[in-house]
Every structure is written in structure tokens, then in C-alpha cells.
Amino acid sequence: DEDPVKSKTAITQLSNILRNSLTTDQKRVARFEDEMKIVEDYLSLETIRYEERLQTKVVIDPNSYDFNIPPLMLQTLVENGIKHGVSKLKKGGQLTITTIVNDNNLKIEIRNSGKLNNSAQSPNPEGGLGIINTTKRLKLIFGNNAHFSIKAETPDTVLTELIIPKAQEI
């Protein structure tokens, strides 16, 4: 009611996310470009929600678009960074997505303000259910050629890292 234009934009972005999730959910892998469109819509929606509390930065290596990644994995990890990091900070924070292509591997780094709290994720030493599922999905699709980790990069920054090999076709 306060801002009809913002509301209409938010509904459109939410519709895009839902539509894409329905069409990509059954695929083994999806084009990186398609996944980034979902992430961009999601970040735009969250920017409306958190306003000045969420700052985002995206730096994409152009060669990243030659890769395929598991559907909705990138969006889920970005959502995790906002939900468990930025949203818990009174002043908010930053979420940065960076990709680097090197030796036929796509490295995706998601940095978010916040603290890594392993005890809050799960009593399981391997991590929470989302972390376990992400690891299993990568193993099923890419075998031992993919890598996934979440760690405290600094006392106030969490780094989520994915390394995806260039090998899979849609």
C-alpha cells in the first residue's frame, strides 16, 4: 500500500522465482546464466524487504556462463547467507557473489556478513541438513570433482565456496 510500484516489482520477481523453480526442479543441471537470473530476482526481492540493511555485489567472470550447475543450489546458498547472516545483524550487512573460472572449474564464492555458528546449524558435526544435502547433490552429479565448503573467513564474514567442473550437459 505504501509503494505500489515496489509492490508490483516484488510480485513480478517472486513470480519469476516460482516459475523458474517449477521448470528447473526436475533437471540434473541447469545453465549458470539461468541460475543467476533466479538469484538476481531473489536479491532484488530481498533488497526490497531489507532496504538499506542489505548491500549486494555481484562480480561474474564472463566464462562462468559456459558452465552448468545443480538447479537452485546457488539461490539456496545465497538465501542461506542472508537468512543466517545478514538478517541477524541489527545494522544488516553485505552479500557478495564472485565467480572465477580456472582450469575448467567454476569457483563460486558467496561472502556474507555474519558469524558462522556451527552449533546452531546442527548437532551433526558435518553440518545442517542443507549442508548435507548440498554435499550429496554435488557428489551424485559430479563425483569427487566438485567441492563445497562453508567457513568463517574473518570473525565477521562467512565464505561459502563451490567449485564445479566443466563437464555436464543439460
Side-chain angles (χ1 to χ4, degrees):
D1 290 339
E2 292 175 19
D3 191 340
V5 174
K6 246 187 200 180
S7 297
K8 186 175 180 179
T9 300
I11 290 169
T12 300
Q13 290 162 337
L14 183 58
S15 296
N16 289 342
I17 292 168
L18 293 173
R19 189 180 331 41
N20 285 324
S21 71
L22 290 173
T23 60
T24 62
D25 192 38
Q26 301 302 315
K27 294 181 183 178
R28 182 175 164 96
V29 292
R31 294 176 353 164
F32 176 79
E33 180 176 7
D34 296 335
E35 292 301 298
M36 275 307 300
K37 287 178 185 173
I38 294 170
V39 169
E40 288 165 359
D41 281 334
Y42 175 76
L43 287 174
S44 294
L45 193 60
E46 290 296 71
T47 299
I48 292 169
R49 180 178 176 197
Y50 289 103
E51 297 177 339
E52 69 279 350
R53 289 186 58 228
L54 174 61
Q55 303 301 314
T56 62
K57 181 178 178 183
V58 178
V59 180
I60 304 297
D61 181 325
N63 295 316
S64 302
Y65 298 105
D66 295 335
F67 285 79
N68 297 316
I69 64 175
L72 299 174
M73 184 174 283
L74 182 56
Q75 187 276 331
T76 302
L77 294 173
V78 168
E79 180 180 350
N80 187 60
I82 294 172
K83 179 181 175 184
H84 297 293
V86 176
S87 73
K88 299 200 180 285
L89 303 172
K90 188 174 182 175
K91 292 183 179 181
Q94 181 156 351
L95 183 125
T96 303
I97 302 168
T98 307
T99 67
I100 303 159
V101 175
N102 193 359
D103 296 328
N104 276 334
N105 287 310
L106 170 63
K107 183 178 188 180
I108 303 170
E109 298 175 335
I110 304 165
R111 285 181 174 79
N112 63 275
S113 302
K115 297 189 184 305
L116 186 62
N117 185 354
N118 290 331
S119 63
Q121 290 176 357
S122 168
N124 183 338
E126 295 177 10
L129 188 57
I131 293 170
I132 293 167
N133 287 342
T134 298
T135 302
K136 285 182 180 179
R137 279 180 74 197
L138 288 170
K139 179 94 170 156
L140 283 171
I141 297 169
F142 300 107
N144 292 325
N145 297 320
H147 167 79
F148 170 68
S149 66
I150 298 179
K151 63 183 177 184
E153 185 175 47
T154 70
D156 298 318
T157 305
V158 176
L159 172 62
T160 301
E161 184 177 82
L162 274 174
I163 299 177
I164 305 284
K166 184 177 181 181
Q168 298 294 316
E169 297 298 323
I170 298 178

